[in-house]
Amino acid sequence: MNATSDAFLSSKPPQFELRERDPLVSFMSDKYLSLLLTVAVYWVVSILFHLIDAYDLLPHYRIHTPEEVTSRNKVTVPEVVRDVVIQQIIQTFIGIALTYYDAPDYTGMEDYEIWVLAHKYPFLPLSAVSMMYHYGFSALRIVGAFFILDTWQYFLHRAMHNYKYLYKTFHSRHHRLYVPYAFGALYNHPFEGLLMDTLGAGLAFKLCGLTIRESLIFFTFSTLKTVDDHCGYSLPFDPLQVFFQNNAAYHDIHHQQFGIKTNFSQPFFIVWDKWLGTQYTGKRTFHPGDHDKKPVKKE
């Protein structure tokens, strides 16, 4: 039933009948589509950046030279790919487990719930109430999940650096990539990947009560953002790098010796670094494409 002005002016709530929502694609549930997309987006975007690297298509936007990738990194490409695949297998099984007992995604009650909101906020136009219901609440839940994931990762990430055992045993593996590249974004010790990425995202999903459709956006966008943050390019035309201060240039500082104890925030906002004084405050004097100069920290 479509919501009409008459229905909302009526003193009686609209009648409705619940039914299970049709999946976005006919051959797969939205739950499994969400898990598949996170893996697909990771490798598609990574391969695009790899092609940009291989054909040297954007040399003036490189943060590091190609020579640095081979000379400074302490891990081979096959090892990186192997560990990323292991982490993605783990995260897929954890994702299935987290959503196994979730109720199906139902539809049909939208008009009734908009009616309730319209009577709760009678001073708002019906169009505003409808927009808030269909998009506003979802946006708030997704942004809330971003913040929870950021919080979880910030404190775990900082602990990995502040406690020698944790760094040496787990997190040092990720820092074998002194010069990050896209498909190394999830190159981690399997336990760290489980704890920081997989469980962090799962916790955000549960605490914010995301629907399956909302989780699809959240997980896919988180993956896209993580890959972009490790791409090795500072791109002024990349919306992810324009609208987020926590971007490839910001995170690259953390991978360098001069900034390894700073810029712990990832993957979205930098508020925890700002609030707790761990944002890098030195001056980076070189720019993408200007690789002869070295970063200099302010006195």
Side-chain angles (χ1 to χ4, degrees), residues 2-69:
N2 293 324
T4 65
S5 298
D6 290 342
F8 287 90
L9 291 173
S10 170
S11 60
K12 293 183 179 180
Q15 299 296 309
F16 66 92
E17 182 177 346
L18 287 178
R19 60 179 177 82
E20 194 169 337
R21 192 184 303 275
D22 293 330
L24 288 171
V25 294
S26 59
F27 56 87
M28 183 182 299
S29 70
D30 289 346
K31 176 176 69 176
Y32 292 114
L33 178 63
S34 175
L35 296 173
L36 176 64
L37 272 179
T38 57
V39 176
V41 164
Y42 186 94
W43 289 108
V44 168
V45 177
S46 293
I47 289 170
L48 287 175
F49 276 114
H50 178 69
L51 292 175
I52 291 171
D53 275 342
Y55 292 99
D56 202 20
L57 299 179
L58 297 171
H60 296 296
Y61 298 108
R62 285 183 181 273
I63 298 175
H64 299 278
T65 64
E67 291 75 21
E68 286 182 279
V69 176

